[in-house]
Structure formats: structure tokens, C-alpha cells
Amino acid sequence: MTHFDLLLIGTGSGNMFLDDRFSGLNVAIAEEWHFGGTCLNVGCIPTKMFVYPATIAEQAAEANRYNLSTDFHGVDWPALQKRIFDRVDAIESGGRDYRSGDRQPNVSVVAEHVEFVGEKTVRTASGETITADRIVIAAGASPVIPEATGLEPKLVDTDGYPVFTSNSIMRIPQRPERLVIIGSGIIAMEFAHVFAGLGTEVTVIARGPRLLGTIDEEVSTEFTELFERNHTVHRGAEVASYSFDNDQVSVTLRPSGRLGDVDLPAQLDADAVLIATGRTPNTTSLRVGDAGFDILDDARLSVDSRQRVLSQGRPVPGVFALGDISSPHQLKHVANHEAAVVGDNLAVDVAAGAPGSGAEAQLREVNHHAVPGAVFTSPQVAYVGITEEEARRAGHDVSVKVQKYADVAYGWAMADDPGIVKIVADRATRKILGAHIVGHEASMIIQPLIQAMAFDQRADEVAKGQYWIHPALPEVVENALLGLEFNDA
């Protein structure tokens, strides 16, 4: 048995807080996979490095809309992969070397899977038992693989098996000519854009009535309509079975029951299938239940507002969690914020002496207000706050304004590209409750609305209290704000 002052499980955002404040501790880092976690290796960063060239390719193919004669003639897939992963892999190996090398003699890397056998005890895959005074659990989430006849879940993401998740699809040696994507959420829509933009024939299978069905219904409907103009989508469908013939894969579909009667093809043949049906927290593989920790209905580890892990509703002394394994938001920027909170609270706890003895007044609380997100697909989608339906259910006297991109001069410059900005506000307080955007650079132009919500600014003050560059695209946000109606002061 080996004992440490601190055990850190996972090296995504969990690897960020471990700085000089903890140089006096004997630390173990358990990482069975890649240093840097999901975002660096298979998520935010490499996907956007594929999204950008796919967007350029799409623009080249459709430039006749702007009275230009350009074409897209194909992608050098191996060269694109090399440019992306040469950078990503160097960062991963650099992080691993830093934690494993002589520069941090107080840190030991445990490069294998661990699982809990007690509240502060884990066992490694090789059978070693590790105990620690304090533990930070930052082990992330993994792709969900729905069961279906003919599918071997253990073979997904392995060489020679043409069924992939986001963990492996970006590293396939050849770009597939035909790709079936199962799912209609963020991951599915981003990869649909990447592969379709780079020349693959993409077919999307969506169980629900709309794509991106968890966002505001009006915005989801707008996105679905725009996406279906250029992509093949089967809504209200799910996979019934898989079959394989050499390197090819075929799927049969059946109605999901969420869209009534639907007309579906008998079979879809493809070079590859991407399963993008969400991600689930890695609580089961860590066996956190054996430690007595509370687990929520959606498999997340239960934490309090200070990121302390709970057992029977009470904080476990010296045990914290962050990121996708516990967060209600599977977003890197949220995990980074939670990591900063954990780092500060852990430092207070260590300074206080015994685990769990840090004074409540000195501990930071996590801030999950005005959490934004974006989908880097075509067109882009961005959102912050609550939907119109949620606002009405919460009892707000709601004011809503939907503004078209084509209503502003920059929209004219884009040949009236489709897109909308929808803002939901409270008529009495004039505060922004939510904002939802579909269109060009949605992830950028939503930022003033995020800032307004974060700093509790009134919508009318944001609209009128600053300059808006004319004729830049953010004018569509300005006009949406100006279009809101409020009660008389």
C-alpha cells in the first residue's frame, strides 16, 4: 500500500490547479489515457482545427452565392491530420513529461486505471492499493454507445471496425466517402459539418423531431431547417441493427416513436458510422459508489457549491470533484472555472491542517450563472441562459425579440445569409434571461450578451449605453436588444 497527501484522478482541467501552492505535498496523478483530457485530445481543440478548414471548403463550394467562381477540389486528409495532431500530441506529451520528470519530484504519475475500494482508497489495474488524505476526482466522461443488434460495443473505436465515436473518428487513416452519424446533438452536428464540408456524403440519424433539440425550440427549429437544406437527415429514427461486409457497414432504421409515422429507407450503407449520442460521466468505471459517494440520476458525482464530493448529502472531508464527472455543464470553460475553485478551496483546506477543516467563509463557491455554449457547425449556434419556454415556466413576464441577420448591413454583405438572434428578457427588471443565436460567427457575436448577463446589466443599458460598430455584424445583437419591449419605468 502506498500513501499520498493528495491523489488527483484525471489530467484534463484537473491538471490545471496543481501549482506551487501544493509543491510541499506528496502527490499522485492517476491517468490511464492521454494527458490533457477530452478537450485537448478528442474534443474542443482538434475538432475546431477540423471545423475551420471544413468551413473554408464549404464557402469555396458555395461562393457562387456571392458572385464568385471558386470550387472545392478536395482535402489532403493525411496532411490535415498531421498538421492538427502534431501540435496536439506535442502538448499531450509535454504535459505528461512535465508531471513525470525531474521538474516535479513530489509528483508520481500512475499511468493506469484506478477504481475506488473505499472512501479514500483506490486500487490500480495492476493491483496496487493507494490511499490519500485528499482526493480530487476529475475523470471526465465517455461516449454513450446505444445497444443495437449486430453491434459489438467493445470493438467500437478499434482498428478494422468501421464504427467510431468522437474518441477516434478524427484519426481514421482515410476520410470516408460515406458516413452515417447517429445523433443530433453538439458532437453530431460538428462532425457532420466537418465531414460534409470536406467532401464526405453524410447522413444524420436523429431520434427527435429537431436537431440540437435541447436548445431553445425556435432556434432549434431554425437550425434544423437550415441544416436540412444541404444535408440528408432522417428525424424520428433510430438504429435497429448493424451488419458488416469487409470494410463496409450497413444500418437498418426504425421509428423512434418521437415523430409519429416517418418514411425511412430500408437500409443505409456506409464506409463508417459515427456514434455521437452523448457522453456519460465516468462514475461507474471508477466505482465511486463503493466509496460511499452520492451519485445523481444522470450518473454525475454529487458535489456541493464548493465542489466538495457528497456522501449522504454531506461533504466528504478533503474530497473534491470537477469537470464532466460532476458538472451539470459538459463544457471545457466550465471545467476550467471549477478547477480554479477546487484549487483555491484545496489550498485553504491544506493550510487549515486536517482534511475538511477549512473555514466555510474562506471557501469559494462555484459560479454556474450565465454559462454559454456554442456549436461549431454550419451555421454556427450559440446560447446562454434559459430558453423562452423555461422563462415562462419560471413565471417571468417575458419579452422576446427575434432579429434576422439579413436585417443589418453586414447581413446584406453576406448576400442575406440566413441567421437569427433571439433574446429573452424580463419585462419588469429589463434583465436578459437568455440569448440564442443561429448564424455566421454566432459564437463570437453572443459575447456582449454573456457579459451583460454575467454582470447583471439591463438589456436597454447594453443596447444604448455603448457604441456598436457600423456596419459590423454585432449590430444584429444591438437591434435585437432595441426590439425588446419593457414595462414603463
Side-chain angles (χ1 to χ4, degrees):
M1 180 182 295
T2 307
H3 182 77
F4 292 91
D5 299 320
L6 172 65
L7 169 63
L8 167 61
I9 304 174
T11 59
S13 293
N15 195 33
M16 298 179 61
F17 71 83
L18 196 61
D19 53 28
D20 291 343
R21 292 174 295 179
F22 308 104
S23 59
L25 301 183
N26 186 19
V27 179
I29 298 178
E31 178 55 78
E32 64 177 300
W33 194 52
H34 306 302
F35 265 61
T38 297
C39 175
L40 173 65
N41 294 282
V42 298
C44 330
I45 293 174
T47 55
K48 303 316 165 284
M49 295 176 76
F50 278 97
V51 162
Y52 189 75
T55 300
I56 293 174
E58 181 182 82
Q59 291 171 341
E62 299 179 356
N64 62 318
R65 291 192 67 243
Y66 311 104
N67 313 110
L68 300 174
S69 298
T70 65
D71 295 292
F72 169 62
H73 299 291
V75 58
D76 186 338
W77 180 256
L80 178 60
Q81 285 180 310
K82 185 177 188 305
R83 177 171 65 82
I84 292 169
F85 289 111
D86 277 359
R87 174 169 290 189
V88 167
D89 293 346
I91 297 171
E92 190 279 340
S93 62
R96 182 180 297 274
D97 290 345
Y98 176 67
R99 294 299 191 198
S100 305
D102 296 336
R103 286 178 291 177
Q104 290 205 306
N106 66 310
V107 175
S108 300
V109 173
V110 181
E112 55 183 318
H113 179 71
V114 299
E115 58 186 39
F116 282 91
V117 294
E119 186 175 84
K120 293 187 179 179
T121 306
V122 300
R123 183 176 296 125
T124 71
S126 60
E128 180 186 3
T129 299
I130 295 175
T131 60
D133 295 328
R134 293 174 173 86
I135 298 177
V136 176
I137 306 169
S142 297
V144 173
I145 302 177
E147 294 183 358
T149 302
L151 180 68
E152 295 287 348
K154 291 183 179 180
L155 294 180
V156 174
D157 289 333
T158 63
D159 291 342
Y161 199 70
V163 182
F164 305 87
T165 71
S166 55
N167 282 353
S168 64
I169 190 69
M170 289 179 283
R171 293 187 185 255
I172 57 176
Q174 292 182 326
R175 178 185 58 81
E177 293 299 321
R178 300 169 300 168
L179 175 66
V180 171
I181 297 179
I182 302 169
S184 58
I186 294 174
I187 296 172
M189 292 301 95
E190 291 192 348
F191 279 115
H193 170 49
V194 166
F195 283 98
L198 296 178
T200 294
E201 179 186 324
V202 171
T203 302
V204 173
I205 311 302
R207 295 186 71 245
R210 304 183 312 277
L211 304 175
L212 297 177
T214 60
I215 65 174
D216 182 89
E217 182 174 345
E218 186 172 3
V219 174
S220 172
T221 299
E222 175 81 2
F223 173 79
T224 301
E225 178 184 332
L226 295 176
F227 189 87
E228 287 185 334
R229 291 181 186 178
N230 300 309
H231 302 83
T232 301
V233 179
H234 297 292
R235 290 180 284 133
E238 62 186 16
V239 174
S241 65
Y242 293 77
S243 61
F244 302 88
D245 183 12
N246 295 322
D247 293 332
Q248 303 296 298
V249 56
S250 300
V251 297
T252 59
L253 305 180
R254 64 189 176 203
S256 68
R258 296 180 58 186
L259 195 59
D261 294 330
V262 288
D263 184 19
L264 301 175
Q267 179 174 294
L268 295 174
D269 302 320
D271 304 301
V273 170
L274 169 63
I275 298 176
T277 51
R279 297 172 64 84
T280 188
N282 287 325
T283 47
T284 299
S285 62
L286 282 183
R287 301 180 67 91
V288 298
D290 290 358
F293 302 151
D294 295 344
I295 304 172
L296 301 174
D297 291 342
D298 59 4
R300 286 185 293 124
L301 194 57
S302 183
V303 297
D304 67 5
S305 62
R306 293 168 172 83
Q307 297 300 129
R308 295 176 295 192
V309 171
L310 302 179
S311 177
Q312 298 183 344
R314 289 182 290 208
V316 180
V319 181
F320 299 82
L322 63 96
D324 291 357
I325 199 163
S326 60
S327 181
H329 306 279
Q330 290 189 355
L331 296 165
K332 176 63 171 175
H333 43 277
V334 175
N336 287 351
H337 165 68
E338 293 172 355
V341 171
V342 167
D344 289 349
N345 290 346
L346 184 65
V348 169
D349 197 63
V350 170
S357 61
E360 291 286 312
Q362 293 183 285
L363 300 178
R364 282 181 63 185
E365 289 194 281
V366 72
N367 176 11
H368 286 156
H369 172 62
V371 173
V375 191
F376 294 85
T377 182
S378 180
Q380 277 191 14
V381 177
Y383 49 88
V384 62
I386 59 178
T387 67
E388 179 182 353
E389 181 182 0
E390 290 170 337
R392 295 188 187 282
R393 285 204 308 263
H396 291 280
D397 184 7
V398 172
S399 177
V400 176
K401 176 61 179 178
V402 177
Q403 192 76 43
K404 295 181 180 180
Y405 274 45
D407 291 336
V408 299
Y410 200 91
W412 308 345
M414 295 189 297
D416 296 328
D417 263 9
I420 60 172
V421 172
K422 178 177 182 177
I423 301 178
V424 182
D426 186 285
R427 287 180 181 271
T429 65
R430 306 190 179 204
K431 299 294 177 62
I432 300 169
L433 304 173
H436 315 271
I437 303 178
V438 180
H440 182 69
E441 299 293 8
S443 62
M444 293 189 184
I445 68 171
I446 199 172
Q447 193 63 44
L449 301 172
I450 299 169
Q451 180 171 315
M453 291 184 66
F455 293 102
D456 208 28
Q457 296 172 310
R458 288 177 14 179
D460 54 337
E461 291 175 335
V462 176
K464 300 175 182 178
Q466 63 179 319
Y467 282 107
W468 296 82
I469 295 174
H470 176 77
L473 187 56
E475 281 188 319
V476 69
V477 173
E478 176 194 19
N479 288 354
L481 288 166
L482 291 170
L484 292 166
E485 296 180 353
F486 299 113
N487 297 342
D488 293 336

